[in-house]
Amino acid sequence: MDPVAEASASQAEQGSGAAARGTRAPSSGSAFVHGAALVHSPGEAVGVAAAYVDEGLRAGDLAVLACAPETAAAVRRALGMRAREVEEDARICLVGARAPDAMAVIRQRVEQAATRGSGRLRILAEPLFGSDPRRWREVRRYEAAANALVDGAPVTCLCVYDREHLPAEVLGTARHTHPELWMGGVRVANSEYRDQTAVLRDLGAAREPVEAGEPVLVLDGVPALAVLRGELRHTFHAVVPDADQRADLHLGVSEVAANAFRHGRRPISARVWADGSTVVCTISDSGTTFSDPLAGFVPAHGDDLAAGGMGLWLARKLWDSVDLVAGPQGLTVRLATGLVRPDEGRGAA
């Protein structure tokens, strides 16, 4: 098993205690180096990025740019002839991909790096937040989860944040999810780095505006999985206009519902809210023994998909946002996504 798959599978199977390893103090001996550079301008960003990538190329690392096309082009110009050695893959920054897909790309790139040079993967990342707060949450969730799921793999990642143009909430992602800050080419421990389990659980407290209204579906004490799946299918047919998206959302939530019946405790309940632009669905059971916020970023049993453990992983691939909210009354899995019109293309969160 490759390093990322081994580390990820271990984290996924060991539960929330494994995520606590994300609170480790930054150390130059850590296999996964995750830093943030807070810059003041695009010009400074390009200078920092080019120096960082050049350092990796000189060390024999596989260098990959995961950033906007214009940023990648500027970094390549700064590198000159050495740019021919650099690859690009914006999926690592959730462009056209959700977090489980991005984790799979990192894994593939680690395998590629193992066959050349130093054996190390070096990623230059430009987190692309956009204007949607849901997207902000998902980038923060991904940044936090990576600290645990890539831990143990030979990866160096520098995420560049432009402090002059990004809102304070977004800059908080840099400060709270990166063990190291890179300033003037020097790596320093980040005193604002938080317990990553706490970061992930805090994200579960977020609510969509649609949830302030009345739900379009309320089910309590659901007697059987088939009943729940049928009611959700009927409801989604009414509130999700795009047929392909409707099928994807139902598949993802059906897996969550199956987990509730298979692994949770009854009674089981469900709620759906929709307003024409967003749909939110919650599935709740009465179990109190599972609360791992890392579940679903990778298949629970690694490469062996036949072994199961894909429910939350599939849900994270098909919905924009998936929260696991644990409490004294049980576990709620909360799924949210933006709706597309039938004539629109679908994009990842």
Side-chain angles (χ1 to χ4, degrees), residues 117-133:
S118 69
R120 190 167 190 84
L121 172 64
R122 176 168 292 232
I123 301 169
L124 185 283
E126 179 187 28
L128 302 175
F129 288 88
S131 59
D132 184 356

Side-chain angles (χ1 to χ4, degrees), residues 30-33 60-63 113-114 116-122 153-156:
S30 299
F32 178 43
V33 177
D61 298 350
L62 170 63
R116 61 175 71 179
S118 69
R120 190 167 190 84
L121 172 64
R122 176 168 292 232
V155 178
T156 301

Side-chain angles (χ1 to χ4, degrees), residues 236-246 276 339-342:
F236 286 177
H237 186 78
V239 302
V240 182
D242 182 80
D244 289 337
Q245 186 182 37
R246 184 163 61 240
L339 295 175
V340 299
R341 311 309 302 178

Side-chain angles (χ1 to χ4, degrees), residues 99-183:
D101 308 305
M103 291 302 308
V105 171
I106 292 173
R107 171 185 171 178
Q108 293 163 3
R109 291 293 186 170
V110 167
E111 292 174 344
Q112 181 184 358
T115 66
R116 61 175 71 179
S118 69
R120 190 167 190 84
L121 172 64
R122 176 168 292 232
I123 301 169
L124 185 283
E126 179 187 28
L128 302 175
F129 288 88
S131 59
D132 184 356
R134 186 188 304 121
R135 168 81 178 189
W136 299 357
R137 292 198 303 272
E138 291 314 295
V139 173
R140 178 173 290 201
R141 193 192 312 274
Y142 173 53
E143 291 268 41
N147 288 305
L149 296 174
V150 187
D151 191 20
V155 178
T156 301
C157 180
L158 179 64
C159 301
V160 180
Y161 287 73
D162 186 342
R163 69 175 75 189
E164 298 299 316
H165 296 94
L166 294 173
E169 182 178 349
V170 167
L171 292 176
T173 296
R175 296 188 176 98
H176 296 155
T177 62
H178 294 78
E180 296 186 358
L181 295 179
W182 296 42
M183 300 186 299

